[in-house]
Amino acid sequence: MRNRKWFYRQLFSYMPAFFIVISFIFFMFFQLLSDQSRKEAVKGNETLLLQAMSSIDSSLKTIEQMLMTEMLKNTDISAFYKNGTQNDYYLNIKLVEFINNFKNAYPLVDSIYLVRTKDNFILSSATSSGLQDYPDYPFIKPYINQEKKDAGWTGVRKFEEFSIKGPNRVVTLALKAPFLKTGQGFLVVNVSADAINNSIESMYSQDVSYIHILDQGGSDVLPVSEAEKKQNIVSQAISPVTGWEYQSGLINGKWVNVANQLFNIWFMLGILMILAGVAWIIYAAKKSYKPIEQIVSQVQKFSQNKATTLLHGNGQDEFTFLQSAINQMLEQSNSYQRQYREDLHVKKAYLFQQLMEGQHFSRPEEWEVMRDAMQLNDFAERQVACVIEIDKYTQFCGQFTQQDQYLMKFALKSVIQETAQEHGGFVWTEWIANDALGVLLQIEELQDPQKQVTEILDHARKWVEEHLKLTVTVGAGGAAYNLEEIPDSYAQAQQALKYKMILGNNRIIFYNLLAKEEHGAMFDYFQLVHSIAQSFRLGKEEWREKYKTLIRSIEQNILSSDHIISLADYLIYSIGREMDKMTKEYQELWEHTGRPSLLEAIQLSDTLEQVEVNFEQTLEQFYGELQKVQVTRNHSETIRSVREYMDREFANPDLSLDFLSDLFNLSSKMLSKLFKEETGQKFVDYLIELRIGHAQTLLTETDQTIQEIAEEVGYVNAISFGRMFKKIVCLSPGEYRDHMIRRNKDMTAL
């Protein structure tokens, strides 16, 4: 009989693997069963969540629709807002009765109160008072000031009508009343959060599942226990009516815990079986490897003693074959090493990008391994992140070939590294964009960060300007004292570069030396831009002076490039909107000539000075084209005379369309039509803007009272003047005067 000991050894060595596979199949079966049960539970939980959300949304929507219906049909509500007074007790009593009936009909409603803006009066079922004396005035104020529009149902907030009762948790809906563009007041309804909770408690068992409702601010609409907060979220949905987020899940009760424990037992048994199988495979592999080990030992011994014979012999045997295979593996290994060295700079650049974006290694030892392998910065020392940007990059690309661009970028990177070595520093540089080089400079402990950055990068900047005939601008962030602060320093360097447009090219811009915030309200800029566009449309020469004022204000407030570009875009948008008011001839001239030229002027400008010159030249050219069109049109001289007369006599209270039609021998209808065609604006709107514009000047430059200013600009009634002023400027005359006083103080402080 042949000896089959090796065969049986191999056979029995793999039998445990068979039992491991069987055990694993049972384990997977239990897993699938458990997973199917979990999916069914999740599906049922989702259905519960949707039913609860639908119930609440339906209730809130019903309340909202019924209130709207009452506001349309209820004559008492209409009378309250249109003709009501605080002393109309009968009407107030009827409205209180309506509120009480509505609360009885819809138990979710906690309270309702009516706000009348014309006399600042509030009426509820419990009280009536002035607007500013009402405890809920801070909530309704933004709606009155039109700071908040069409907000829908709010999140959970505290409503306290009387301090003796204490606050209630409510969600609120403010409806404009009546349904006009401006409105005469608001109807505010508060729905109790506790009532919402009671309405859905019967839908589910709190011992098995839970429901969380989060408003748009992230606050809990329903009360939440500590046990529920610890449970995992199974289902989520966003309400299309309120925008609230609904969350639900399962509470691990007694039987769920037992199932989880059984699952854990099966899981542990599976792990143990796998570990046992791995241990057995290792043991069997060692037993089976011994003959191979002996062969390897013999190969090593043979290669030492018989290599020459095998290499130069007439024939080849299996050992020669093994040797050639080993040589081939060594050759492949050397090839991989060469490829690794070639790809090292790519990995280094990727690592630099990760570091700047804050995706660094969480464990310091991992970074130490990478740092030693790539010879990078020591982050135990301070670091300063900088960004070097090539100025006029479009011109740079057009002036040099692709190969020359690579050479010049390589020279820029090399000179920074060499300069850092000369000054005893350590620097890491990588190209982060086609025109931007990222720099991470390691600062010595006793060195001033700003001084060392200036010594190294300013020397490199001057060398580039002298030898490469191009300029670069450097944005430098603050010092980073650990790995986590480097992304902040890098972000500061990028932010500093945004001031390149106003501070100029070919320099180092330190973030720490810039103002922490930009002065000047954007509201003032938008008002000035709008005024420029109006003067431009009306053919007034004063647009040039206003444009100069805008540029000087930008220089004084040191705006970033983002804000400068935004203002330029807004100026283009404002002129376009003014041109839309004109005839088709003006609109086509704007679309084909004016707008494309202004957009091109932005693209060709790198600094504020270039923006100022390019924009002004383009505006002058387009203004000249507009003047040519106006000269060729009939009645343009007549309308110009009408406008000049209005500019002089706008303070005349009798100034009207009929008055001017008699003065210029035209019918009022014809004069109105011609005025609209030539100016793109109605006669009345033009007159109002003249008066309000002059009033703004008087409010800013004089101490006259509101009544005196109203009479001086043509308004007999100061109340009518104040209402019209707020409609145009969005501020009352007093608020506008206070705003301009604060603004002038800020400008003086600069």
Side-chain angles (χ1 to χ4, degrees), residues 384 443 447-455 510 512-513:
V384 173
I443 304 299
Q447 279 275 11
D448 178 21
Q450 184 173 328
K451 180 180 179 182
Q452 190 166 7
V453 170
T454 304
E455 289 177 353
F510 289 94
N512 294 335
L513 299 182

Side-chain angles (χ1 to χ4, degrees), residues 29-227:
F29 172 76
F30 186 87
Q31 278 284 81
L32 292 174
L33 183 62
S34 176
D35 186 62
Q36 184 65 26
S37 300
R38 185 184 64 82
K39 288 181 179 178
E40 291 296 330
V42 169
K43 186 175 180 181
N45 193 262
E46 288 179 354
T47 303
L48 168 64
L49 179 68
L50 293 176
Q51 288 179 347
M53 183 176 70
S54 176
S55 174
I56 294 175
D57 287 354
S58 176
S59 299
L60 295 180
K61 199 167 183 179
T62 300
I63 292 173
E64 181 178 354
Q65 291 175 347
M66 292 307 299
L67 282 175
M68 289 183 176
T69 302
E70 289 293 337
M71 290 167 65
L72 289 172
K73 296 182 178 181
N74 194 320
T75 57
D76 295 334
I77 295 178
S78 300
F80 176 81
Y81 287 108
K82 292 181 180 179
N83 306 318
T85 63
Q86 297 184 15
N87 298 325
D88 195 344
Y89 300 111
Y90 177 71
L91 176 61
N92 294 344
I93 291 173
K94 292 177 68 178
L95 288 175
V96 169
E97 183 180 357
F98 156 73
I99 292 173
N100 291 329
N101 291 337
F102 194 89
K103 288 167 62 178
N104 292 332
Y106 300 96
L108 292 182
V109 176
D110 177 78
S111 59
I112 300 176
Y113 62 87
L114 290 78
V115 180
R116 189 169 58 210
T117 55
K118 68 177 182 180
D119 58 354
N120 294 334
F121 179 67
I122 286 184
L123 176 67
S124 69
S125 60
T127 183
S128 62
S129 68
L131 179 60
Q132 297 185 358
D133 297 330
Y134 194 62
D136 209 29
Y137 174 68
F139 168 77
I140 196 64
K141 181 181 178 182
Y143 291 91
I144 297 175
N145 295 338
Q146 297 187 0
E147 298 173 3
K148 187 183 292 186
K149 299 179 180 179
D150 301 328
W153 289 96
T154 68
V156 175
R157 66 186 191 94
K158 291 186 178 179
F159 172 72
E160 184 178 10
E161 192 168 25
F162 300 103
S163 58
I164 190 172
K165 294 176 60 178
N168 294 333
R169 295 173 70 254
V170 298
V171 296
T172 305
L173 175 68
L175 297 174
K176 187 181 295 183
F179 295 122
L180 297 176
K181 185 176 181 182
T182 56
Q184 297 174 346
F186 294 89
L187 190 150
V188 181
V189 57
N190 296 315
V191 172
S192 172
D194 293 334
I196 292 176
N197 183 36
N198 294 335
S199 68
I200 64 171
E201 274 187 344
S202 60
M203 293 184 180
Y204 65 99
S205 174
Q206 298 182 3
D207 296 332
V208 177
S209 57
Y210 68 91
I211 294 179
H212 290 171
I213 303 179
L214 302 178
D215 61 23
Q216 295 178 347
S219 301
D220 289 311
V221 177
L222 305 182
V224 182
S225 65
E226 292 297 327

Side-chain angles (χ1 to χ4, degrees), residues 251-298:
I251 296 178
N252 291 338
K254 178 179 179 181
W255 295 109
V256 176
N257 290 330
V258 170
N260 288 336
Q261 290 176 2
L262 291 176
F263 170 79
N264 293 332
I265 293 174
W266 269 97
F267 183 81
M268 292 303 299
L269 287 175
I271 294 296
L272 290 176
M273 292 296 294
I274 292 173
L275 292 176
V278 171
W280 178 260
I281 290 173
I282 293 174
Y283 171 77
K286 285 186 176 181
K287 294 286 288 183
S288 301
Y289 182 72
K290 283 187 177 181
I292 300 175
E293 188 177 22
Q294 293 175 0
I295 293 173
V296 171
S297 177
Q298 291 176 2

